[in-house]
Amino acid sequence: MTVRMLLFVLIMTTFHSLVKAQKEDSTGHAMEFAGSVNINNNGIALVPTFSLGKPSAIIELSAKKNRFSFIPQLRYNLKDRQPWNFIFWGRYKMIDTNKLKVSVGSFSSIVFRDGTAVSNGIATESLTASRLLIGELIPSYQFSPKVSVGLYYMFAKALDTTVNDLHLVSLNSTFSKINLTKGFLLTVKPQVYYLGIPELDQQGLYGNASLALSKKEIPVSITSMFNKAISSNLVAKDFVWNVGITYSF
C-alpha cells in the first residue's frame, strides 16, 4: 500500500509541475496539460456492474497536442485503500470545427475487484483485475458556447474471462457554465444510454446526469452524479447517486 501511495503522489506531483510549466511558458503551445482530483462518497461507473458503491478518489490527467489527446484516469477505493479502476484513453479529433466535432478513441481499462484465490486447497481473499480493450466514437454539435448535444458509442472487448464484451450507446447534452448568482456557475450534463451485454443476455436503459457547481476564478467545485435504471435486467442497483468535491488544475 505504501508503494501505491508513493506512486500516486509522484504522478500527481509530476503532472502538477508540467501544468505549471506549461502556464508559465508563453511560447509553449505544442502541448496542453490539465487535470482534476475528485473525492466523493460513492464511486459510480456508467457500467453499473463496475460501480464501486464506496467512497472514492478519481484523478484525471490530460495531455493534448493538436488533435491528439491522452487522458489517464485513476480511480481509487478510499474505504479499503486499494485501486478501483484504471482507464487510459487515447483520442483523435477527426472533425474539429466551431460547430461539429467528431472524435474516435481507443483505450484500455483495468477493473479491480475483491475475489478469492485458491492455493494448495486453501481459499484466501485477494484483489483481482479484469482487463478490457475499448473503442469509441464521439460526434457532437455545438449550438452555442454553453450548449451542445452529442452521441457516444462504446464497444468493450474483454481480454480475460472475468468480464464480458459490452456495447454502450448514449444520447447526451451539456449545458455549461450557467450563470447563477454572485459569480456562481452551474454545469449540467444529462444523458440517456443503452447498455448491452450479449453473452449474458443482459441489457438496460438508463438515465444519468452529472452536475458541477463552481465559482468564477476558484478551481474547486461541488459535483454530483445520478444514475437511474429506466428498464434493466442487469444485476445492479436501480438508483445510485453521489456528491463530491473536485479540484481542477
Side-chain angles (χ1 to χ4, degrees):
M1 184 56 61
T2 302
V3 174
R4 291 188 190 132
M5 291 304 298
L6 288 174
L7 180 60
F8 208 34
V9 172
L10 177 61
I11 292 172
M12 288 302 299
T13 303
T14 301
F15 220 81
H16 187 271
S17 298
L18 289 171
V19 173
K20 184 177 180 181
Q22 174 69 19
K23 291 181 177 179
E24 292 177 348
D25 182 5
S26 60
T27 63
H29 300 296
M31 188 77 72
E32 297 178 13
F33 297 98
S36 65
V37 180
N38 172 264
I39 306 294
N40 62 75
N41 70 319
N42 183 20
I44 297 174
L46 274 185
V47 180
T49 53
F50 293 163
S51 289
L52 179 64
K54 300 176 182 179
S56 71
I58 301 174
I59 297 176
E60 182 171 296
L61 309 173
S62 173
K64 297 181 181 180
K65 182 178 181 181
N66 298 325
R67 297 190 177 206
F68 292 93
S69 60
F70 175 62
I71 310 171
Q73 190 178 84
L74 311 176
R75 304 180 180 186
Y76 281 87
N77 176 345
L78 292 178
K79 183 177 180 179
D80 300 321
R81 294 180 294 177
Q82 61 189 27
W84 162 31
N85 185 200
F86 291 170
I87 307 173
F88 302 95
W89 273 288
R91 287 177 177 158
Y92 174 73
K93 289 184 178 179
M94 297 175 60
I95 301 174
D96 188 16
T97 68
N98 289 335
K99 296 292 185 179
L100 180 64
K101 302 179 188 298
V102 179
S103 297
V104 293
S106 178
F107 61 96
S108 61
S109 176
I110 305 173
V111 181
F112 298 91
R113 302 181 186 179
D114 291 326
T116 303
V118 179
S119 178
N120 297 323
I122 301 174
T124 57
E125 294 286 328
S126 66
L127 191 66
T128 63
S130 302
R131 298 170 299 128
L132 300 103
L133 184 62
I134 301 170
E136 60 182 6
L137 175 65
I138 318 169
S140 65
Y141 187 83
Q142 195 85 26
F143 285 99
S144 73
K146 295 184 178 182
V147 179
S148 67
V149 297
L151 294 172
Y152 179 79
Y153 171 69
M154 179 184 79
F155 171 69
K157 175 65 179 177
L159 299 180
D160 52 56
T161 58
T162 58
V163 288
N164 302 99
D165 298 349
L166 60 88
H167 298 266
L168 188 149
V169 183
S170 164
L171 173 62
N172 56 74
S173 57
T174 300
F175 303 90
S176 60
K177 297 183 178 179
I178 303 168
N179 288 300
L180 299 178
T181 181
K182 297 181 180 179
F184 284 95
L185 304 171
L186 178 66
T187 296
V188 182
K189 297 181 179 181
Q191 66 175 315
V192 176
Y193 68 94
Y194 165 83
L195 175 66
I197 307 177
E199 293 173 75
L200 301 179
D201 196 26
Q202 294 181 1
Q203 58 185 343
L205 182 66
Y206 290 84
N208 177 278
S210 61
L211 301 90
L213 179 65
S214 60
K215 189 172 175 58
K216 292 179 181 179
E217 300 181 359
I218 296 179
V220 177
S221 59
I222 299 173
T223 57
S224 183
M225 178 181 286
F226 302 84
N227 203 65
K228 178 70 173 70
I230 300 171
S231 175
S232 174
N233 65 352
L234 274 75
V235 182
K237 290 183 177 180
D238 287 342
F239 177 73
V240 291
W241 68 277
N242 70 11
V243 64
I245 297 176
T246 299
Y247 169 69
S248 302
F249 54 90

